[in-house]
C-alpha cells in the first residue's frame, strides 16, 4: 500500500519538474507567488486528500530553488523569503499527520535547508560587528574603539529587525533549541573576543591554580578591567539585544540572558577563586584588595541588569568569593607578624642605620593605609574570624597614658588593633637587635634611627596617623628622648670627665702633669669618638641635626671654658702643640661630620 502511494507521488513530481524547470530557468518572478497562493488555499485540505495536487510539487520545486539560491536577508525588503519559510513550515505541519510519506520527507528536507540557511544568517549577522572591527583595524585613521564600546553590541536597527524575524521563524518552525543554541554560542564567543581585546582571556580555575604567581599577577589588572566592563556595559548591552531579538518570547529571552550572563560571570569569579587559593605572602595583599574592591563595587550594576532570580544567584556567588578573598587578605596582613618574628638575623646593621625590616614593615603598613584604608578596615570588620587568636590581647591595649576611650575605639577597629600588634612586635624585634651592638651608644643610635623612621612614616601618612592617633606618637617620642639621653651619657659625659677640674689644683697651684694627662686623655678620647661615630649613620636630617646640636651644647662650652682656664699653664710652643690639638672651632667642625656614614662599605639608604 505504501509503495503504491510513493509511486503515485513520484509520477506527478517527475512530470511537474519538467514543466516547472522552464519557469525556474527563465526566472519568472511571479511563478513562486502564484504557486504560494495556490498552496495557501490547499493547506486546510492536504492532510485529508489522498492524491497530491500537481501544484504542490511545482511549488516545492520553486521553493527549493528560491531557498538554495537566496543571497541576503538584509536585501529582502518585502519579507518574501520569511513568508516563504513560514509557508513551508505551515505546509510541513499540515502534511505531517497525513499518509503521504514521500511528501512529508520532501517538505521536511526543504524546511531543514531553510532553517540551516536562517541559522547561518543568524550567526553571520551577529558576527557582523566583529567583521567590521577587523576591517576597521586594517584601515589607518581614527581610533573608533571608544565609539564601539559605547554602542555595544553595535547592531543597526535593520540587523536587529532581521535577527528578530529569523528567531521568530525558527521558533515557529520547531527549531527553537537550534536557534537558542546558536544564539548562546555566538554571544559567548563575541563576549570572549571583547574581553580578549581588553587583554583578558578567560582562564579556568584549574589552569589558574597551576600558574606561577608572577604570571597570575599579570592577569589581575586585565581581569579587573574585564569584570567592570562586563557588569557595566556588556551585560546591559546583552540584555537589550536578547530582548530585541526574542521580543515575542520574554520568558525565553530572560532564560537566554541568565544562561549567558551566569556562564560568563561564573568564569570571571572562578579566576578570583583561584587567586584566593595561592600560597600566601605579604606582597600579594594589595592585589587581593584590588580584587576585593572590584567584587564589592560592581555588584549593584549586575543586580540592576539581571532578573531577580539570576541576580540572587550572582549575588550569592559574588559574596562567597568576596568572603574568601577578604579572609585570605586578613591572613596575609596578619602574616606580617610571622615575617617580623622570623627575622632572627644576628648580624647588626652597619652604623646603626635603619633596619631593612623596619623599612619594609613601615612602608608596607603605610601603603596599606594610604591606598586601601577604607577597604582594609571593611575587610577586617566583615571577615575577621569569630574566634580571636590566642595573642589577640596586645600591648597596644596597655599603653601608658592611653585613655579608656582610646582603648575602646581600638577594640572597635580590628585593623587598627592589628597594626598596633605589628608595631609592638617590630619594636620588640628592634630592641632585641639593638643588643647585638657591643657599644651601648651605637645601640641607642640604632633605636633612635628606627624609632624616628617609624614615627616619620606615621606622621607622613594622614590615614595612618589618624588610625594611630597621638598616643602612640607621644609614647614613641618619649622613648626616643630616653635613647638620646642614654647616648649622650654613654659617649659625651665620659669625655667631659676629662675636663673635670677636680685634682688639678694642689695647695692653690695647678699640677701640670695632671693637666697634661687631662688634655692627652681628652684628645685621645675625642679623636676615637670622631673616627668611630663619623662612620655611624643617621639618615634623618632632623635627627642628625638634633644630635649634633645637643652634643655641641654640652661639649664646646665645657671645652672652651677648660681651655681658657688652663691653657696658659702649658709652655707656649711645643707643649701647646702637643697637648692642645683642638680649638673649639675644630671640635664643632668634627661634630658636624658625625653620623655621615663616611665609609666605602656603608652607603646611605634612601626611604
Amino acid at each position: 500500500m505504501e509503495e503504491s502511494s510513493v509511486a503515485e507521488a513520484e509520477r506527478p513530481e517527475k512530470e511537474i519538474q519538467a514543466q516547472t524547470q522552464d519557469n525556474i530557468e527563465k526566472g519568472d518572478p511571479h511563478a513562486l507567488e502564484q504557486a504560494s497562493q495556490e498552496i495557501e488555499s490547499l493547506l486546510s485540505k492536504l492532510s485529508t486528500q489522498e492524491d497530491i495536487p500537481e501544484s504542490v510539487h511545482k511549488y516545492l520545486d520553486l521553493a527549493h530553488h528560491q531557498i538554495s539560491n537566496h543571497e541576503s536577508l538584509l536585501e529582502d525588503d518585502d519579507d518574501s523569503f520569511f513568508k516563504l519559510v513560514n509557508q513551508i513550515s505551515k505546509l510541513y505541519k499540515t502534511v505531517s499527520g497525513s499518509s503521504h510519506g514521500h511528501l512529508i520527507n520532501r517538505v521536511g528536507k526543504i524546511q531543514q535547508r531553510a532553517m540551516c540557511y536562517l541559522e547561518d544568517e543568524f550567526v553571520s549577522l551577529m558576527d557582523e560587528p566583529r567583521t567590521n572591527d577587523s576591517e576597521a583595524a586594517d584601515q589607518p585613521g581614527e581610533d573608533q574603539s571608544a565609539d564601539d564600546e559605547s554602542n555595544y553590541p553595535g547592531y543597526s536597527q535593520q540587523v536587529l529587525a532581521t535577527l528578530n524575524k529569523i528567531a521568530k521563524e525558527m521558533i515557529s518552525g520547531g527549531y527553537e533549541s537550534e536557534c537558542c543554541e546558536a544564539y548562546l554560542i555566538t554571544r559567548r564567543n563575541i563576549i570572549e573576543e571583547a574581553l580578549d581585546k581588553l587583554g583578558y582571556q578567560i582562564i579556568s580555575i584549574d589552569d589558574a591554580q597551576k600558574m606561577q604567581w608572577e604570571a597570575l599577577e599579570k592577569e589581575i589588572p586585565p581581569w579587573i578591567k574585564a569584570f567592570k566592563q562586563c557588569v557595566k556595559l556588556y551585560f546591559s548591552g546583552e540584555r537589550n539585544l536578547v530582548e530585541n531579538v526574542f521580543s515575542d518570547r520574554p520568558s525565553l529571552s530572560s532564560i537566554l540572558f541568565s544562561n549567558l550572563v551566569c556562564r560568563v560571570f561564573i568564569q570571571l569569579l572562578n579566576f578570583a577563586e583561584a587567586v584566593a587559593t595561592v600560597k600566601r605572602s605579604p606582597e600579594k595583599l594589595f592585589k587581593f584588595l584590588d580584587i576585593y574592591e572590584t567584587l564589592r563595587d560592581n555588584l549593584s550594576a549586575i543586580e540592576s541588569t539581571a532578573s531577580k532570580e539570576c541576580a540572587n544567584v550572582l549575588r550569592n556567588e559574588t559574596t562567597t568569593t568576596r568572603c574568601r578573598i577578604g579572609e585570605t587578605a586578613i591572613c596575609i596582613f596578619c602574616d606580617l607578624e610571622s615575617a617580623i618574628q622570623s627575622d632572627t638575623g644576628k648580624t647588626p646593621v652597619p652604623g646603626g642605620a635603619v633596619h631593612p625590616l623596619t623599612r619594609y614593615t613601615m612602608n608596607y603598613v603605610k601603603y596599606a593605609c594610604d591606598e586601601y584604608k577604607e577597604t582594609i578596615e571593611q575587610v577586617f570588620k566583615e571577615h575577621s574570624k569569630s574566634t580571636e587568636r590566642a595573642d589577640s590581647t596586645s600591648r597596644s591595649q596597655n599603653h601608658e597614658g592611653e585613655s579608656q576611650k582610646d582603648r575602646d575605639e581600638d577594640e572597635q577597629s580590628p585593623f587598627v588593633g592589628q597594626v598596633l600588634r605589628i608595631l609592638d612586635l617590630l619594636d620588640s624585634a628592634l630592641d632585641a637587635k639593638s643588643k647585638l651592638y657591643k657599644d651601648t651608644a651605637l645601640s641607642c643610635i640604632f633605636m633612635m634611627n628606627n624609632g624616628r623612621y617609624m614615627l616619620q612614616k606615621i606622621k607622613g601618612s594622614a590615614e595612618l596617623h589618624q588610625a594611630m592617633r597621638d598616643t602612640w606618637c607621644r609614647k614613641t617620642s618619649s622613648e626616643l628622648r630616653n635613647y638620646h639621653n642614654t647616648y649622650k651619657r654613654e659617649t659625651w659625659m665620659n669625655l667631659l670627665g676629662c675636663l673635670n677640674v677636680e685634682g688639678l689644683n694642689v695647695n692653690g697651684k695647678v699640677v701640670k702633669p695632671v693637666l697634661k694627662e687631662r688634655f692627652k686623655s681628652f684628645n685621645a678620647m675625642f679623636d676615637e669618638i670622631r673616627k668611630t661615630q663619623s662612620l655611624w649613620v643617621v639618615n634623618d636630617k632632623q635627627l642628625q641635626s638634633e644630635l649634633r646640636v645637643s652634643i655641641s651644647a654640652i661639649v664646646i662650652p665645657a671645652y672652651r671654658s677648660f681651655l681658657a682656664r688652663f691653657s696658659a699653664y702649658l709652655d707656649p710652643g711645643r707643649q701647646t702643640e702637643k697637648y692642645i690639638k683642638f680649638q673649639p672651632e675644630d671640635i664643632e667642625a668634627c661634630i658636624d661630620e658625625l653620623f655621615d656614614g663616611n665609609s666605602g662599605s656603608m652607603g646611605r639608604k634612601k626611604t
Side-chain angles (χ1 to χ4, degrees):
M1 185 71 177
E2 185 175 344
E3 292 179 358
S4 173
S5 175
V6 170
E8 289 178 4
E10 287 178 344
R11 181 184 57 77
E13 180 181 352
K14 291 177 182 178
E15 295 175 2
I16 292 175
Q17 282 178 349
Q19 295 173 359
T20 58
Q21 188 62 34
D22 289 340
N23 289 333
I24 293 174
E25 290 176 356
K26 293 177 183 178
D28 186 352
H30 303 293
L32 180 59
E33 182 178 350
Q34 292 172 356
S36 295
Q37 291 173 358
E38 291 179 19
I39 288 295
E40 194 67 30
S41 63
L42 291 173
L43 280 176
S44 60
K45 306 173 185 177
L46 282 176
S47 60
T48 59
Q49 284 184 343
E50 293 185 4
D51 298 326
I52 304 300
E54 294 182 357
S55 57
V56 172
H57 297 287
K58 175 182 177 182
Y59 168 76
L60 291 176
D61 284 339
L62 293 168
H64 181 271
H65 176 78
Q66 178 69 11
I67 291 171
S68 299
N69 294 278
H70 197 75
E71 294 184 357
S72 173
L73 291 178
L74 291 178
E75 297 175 2
D76 189 13
D77 296 332
D78 60 355
D79 290 343
S80 58
F81 187 83
F82 289 107
K83 293 175 182 177
L84 172 61
V85 175
N86 182 266
Q87 192 170 54
I88 289 291
S89 296
K90 288 181 179 179
L91 178 59
Y92 182 71
K93 290 177 183 177
T94 299
V95 301
S96 292
S98 72
S99 60
H100 306 294
H102 178 74
L103 181 62
I104 294 172
N105 289 337
R106 188 177 184 206
V107 176
K109 289 178 180 179
I110 294 174
Q111 186 200 28
Q112 185 178 29
R113 188 182 187 103
M115 292 301 169
C116 287
Y117 173 78
L118 287 180
E119 184 177 336
D120 290 342
E121 284 288 289
F122 197 53
V123 173
S124 177
L125 287 173
M126 282 192 285
D127 274 337
E128 186 181 57
R130 292 189 292 172
T131 304
N132 291 342
D133 284 346
S134 62
E135 291 174 356
D138 296 334
Q139 304 277 342
E142 304 181 2
D143 179 12
Q144 297 181 341
S145 60
D147 291 337
D148 292 341
E149 289 297 316
S150 61
N151 293 328
Y152 182 89
Y155 298 114
S156 67
Q157 290 300 317
Q158 184 184 16
V159 169
L160 289 174
T162 304
L163 289 171
N164 176 269
K165 292 173 186 176
I166 293 174
K168 188 182 298 183
E169 289 305 328
M170 289 188 71
I171 292 171
S172 66
Y175 282 73
E176 179 178 316
S177 60
E178 289 82 355
C179 179
C180 292
E181 183 179 6
Y183 183 85
L184 286 174
I185 291 174
T186 306
R187 294 316 305 169
R188 279 202 300 266
N189 291 339
I190 289 173
I191 291 177
E192 289 181 7
E193 287 191 13
L195 297 182
D196 186 62
K197 288 180 182 179
L198 297 176
Y200 177 75
Q201 291 184 342
I202 290 179
I203 303 171
S204 71
I205 191 168
D206 290 336
D207 290 340
Q209 288 175 333
K210 294 174 186 176
M211 295 172 69
Q212 294 293 322
W213 171 251
E214 290 74 15
L216 193 61
E217 183 182 23
K218 292 178 182 178
E219 295 295 331
I220 294 176
W223 176 87
I224 291 173
K225 187 175 181 181
F227 191 94
K228 292 179 178 178
Q229 198 78 337
C230 277
V231 299
K232 292 183 177 180
L233 177 64
Y234 294 162
F235 289 167
S236 59
E238 291 296 337
R239 179 173 182 174
N240 291 335
L241 177 63
V242 75
E243 288 177 349
N244 273 286
V245 174
F246 298 92
S247 59
D248 295 331
R249 301 287 296 276
S251 60
L252 178 61
S253 69
S254 179
I255 292 171
L256 288 172
F257 176 73
S258 296
N259 288 344
L260 176 65
V261 167
C262 283
R263 181 184 175 92
V264 174
F265 198 80
I266 295 301
Q267 286 177 324
L268 290 170
L269 289 182
N270 283 345
F271 177 82
E273 288 276 358
V275 172
T277 65
V278 301
K279 183 179 179 181
R280 302 196 308 261
S281 59
E283 70 275 6
K284 298 173 184 176
L285 172 67
F286 306 112
K287 291 300 181 184
F288 273 73
L289 295 177
D290 288 338
I291 293 174
Y292 185 90
E293 289 179 342
T294 301
L295 296 174
R296 178 197 64 191
D297 297 340
N298 294 281
L299 185 58
S300 59
I302 187 63
E303 288 181 336
S304 64
T305 303
S307 65
K308 185 177 180 180
E309 183 179 352
C310 178
N312 286 338
V313 171
L314 298 183
R315 185 191 308 108
N316 292 336
E317 293 289 340
T318 304
T319 300
T320 299
T321 303
R322 186 162 62 95
C323 285
R324 288 186 182 138
I325 292 291
E327 289 169 2
T328 307
I330 291 174
C331 292
I332 290 175
F333 192 81
C334 292
D335 282 347
L336 196 55
E337 291 185 31
S338 301
I340 294 170
Q341 292 170 332
S342 64
D343 191 319
T344 56
K346 300 299 182 182
T347 303
V349 178
V354 177
H355 198 282
L357 180 63
T358 305
R359 292 183 185 277
Y360 176 80
T361 303
M362 293 310 299
N363 284 323
Y364 189 88
V365 172
K366 181 178 183 295
Y367 187 80
C369 284
D370 287 350
E371 302 297 328
Y372 296 95
K373 184 169 183 290
E374 181 181 341
T375 298
I376 203 167
E377 285 271 16
Q378 179 185 1
V379 167
F380 268 83
K381 184 177 180 181
E382 294 185 7
H383 307 293
S384 291
K385 300 295 185 182
S386 57
T387 303
E388 292 292 333
R389 296 186 301 172
D391 60 348
S392 61
T393 303
S394 69
R395 284 168 45 194
S396 64
Q397 295 173 326
N398 295 296
H399 284 183
E400 292 181 12
E402 185 172 0
S403 69
Q404 182 63 42
K405 177 182 177 183
D406 287 336
R407 291 199 298 273
D408 290 343
E409 288 177 354
D410 277 345
E411 291 171 358
Q412 294 171 4
S413 176
F415 171 64
V416 172
Q418 182 59 37
V419 170
L420 287 171
R421 279 192 290 276
I422 288 171
L423 295 186
D424 283 341
L425 276 174
L426 177 60
D427 191 48
S428 298
L430 292 172
D431 185 62
K433 292 180 184 301
S434 72
K435 293 177 172 56
L436 298 173
Y437 296 99
K438 297 179 180 179
D439 190 329
T440 303
L442 180 54
S443 174
C444 291
I445 291 293
F446 174 78
M447 292 303 290
M448 278 190 283
N449 271 326
N450 286 272
R452 177 61 71 95
Y453 187 88
M454 294 168 69
L455 197 60
Q456 293 302 95
K457 284 293 177 182
I458 288 174
K459 288 184 175 180
S461 167
E463 296 288 351
L464 185 55
H465 193 193
Q466 180 185 8
M468 303 306 297
R469 294 183 300 280
D470 291 330
T471 304
W472 188 92
C473 294
R474 285 196 300 269
K475 174 182 175 292
T476 303
S477 296
S478 176
E479 291 173 348
L480 291 179
R481 287 192 294 271
N482 290 336
Y483 288 125
H484 191 155
N485 291 331
T486 302
Y487 160 76
K488 287 192 296 183
R489 183 175 64 251
E490 291 291 325
T491 300
W492 302 103
M493 298 309 292
N494 288 337
L495 178 67
L496 293 181
C498 299
L499 305 179
N500 192 344
V501 299
E502 186 177 347
L504 283 176
N505 284 291
V506 177
N507 298 325
K509 293 183 178 181
V510 173
V511 183
K512 292 180 69 175
V514 176
L515 176 63
K516 291 177 182 178
E517 188 60 32
R518 295 285 170 85
F519 272 114
K520 186 178 179 180
S521 297
F522 178 88
N523 293 337
M525 187 177 292
F526 181 77
D527 201 42
E528 180 62 27
I529 291 172
R530 178 182 64 81
K531 289 179 180 179
T532 300
Q533 297 196 13
S534 64
L535 300 180
W536 293 0
V537 178
V538 177
N539 288 119
D540 185 87
K541 293 301 181 184
Q542 183 179 347
L543 177 59
Q544 188 183 72
S545 177
E546 289 172 1
L547 285 167
R548 289 171 176 174
V549 168
S550 67
I551 293 167
S552 297
I554 59 174
V555 175
I556 293 176
Y559 184 70
R560 181 178 281 117
S561 174
F562 188 85
L563 195 63
R565 184 173 177 181
F566 295 105
S567 62
Y569 291 98
L570 297 175
D571 296 336
R574 292 183 60 186
Q575 279 194 352
T576 301
E577 291 176 3
K578 182 177 180 180
Y579 294 105
I580 303 178
K581 288 189 175 182
F582 300 102
Q583 294 299 320
E585 294 78 14
D586 300 326
I587 299 291
E588 187 171 11
C590 289
I591 291 173
D592 285 342
E593 293 177 355
L594 299 179
F595 317 120
D596 272 336
N598 290 326
S599 172
S601 61
M602 195 188 316
R604 292 190 185 182
K605 296 180 181 180
K606 295 185 179 181
T607 303

